[in-house]
Amino acid sequence: MILHTTEVTPLSGYRLLLRFNNGAAGEVDLSNELDGEVFEPLRDPVLFATASQHPVMRTAAWSNGADLAPEFLLDLMRVQQGDRAA
């Protein structure tokens, strides 16, 4: 099975609420991941709030063209939740 998100909801504090097609779901904090030319602009809360499910890539994407791989998001979520992602 190819991993993808089924829901992407932006939250305050640079967090996303995510659901994946493998049944995993939870919040991920991206505050320490927003570095570099593409991701640093997402430190603007208004821009970060444009996060949504990309209709083709089926992962988190923003209006400035930034996106994150679902595998990265799931791994980070599991680390942050102590592998409690369910």
Side-chain angles (χ1 to χ4, degrees):
M1 170 184 3
I2 297 174
L3 183 69
H4 61 84
T5 58
T6 59
E7 180 183 337
V8 176
T9 304
L11 304 171
S12 63
Y14 308 110
R15 296 172 300 127
L16 296 176
L17 175 63
L18 301 169
R19 293 190 187 283
F20 295 87
N21 64 323
N22 67 353
E27 290 182 20
V28 63
D29 180 351
L30 296 174
S31 59
N32 292 326
E33 309 301 324
L34 303 178
D35 296 317
E37 185 177 328
V38 174
F39 297 104
E40 195 165 323
L42 298 178
R43 291 192 177 280
D44 175 349
V46 173
L47 182 56
F48 188 86
T50 68
S52 65
Q53 164 94 1
H54 190 281
V56 175
M57 297 185 306
R58 297 187 295 177
T59 192
W62 287 265
S63 63
N64 71 338
D67 65 79
L68 290 167
E71 295 84 3
F72 171 79
L73 293 168
L74 181 59
D75 288 347
L76 182 60
M77 187 175 72
R78 285 180 169 161
V79 166
Q80 290 177 354
Q81 294 182 355
D83 208 15
R84 293 182 323 239

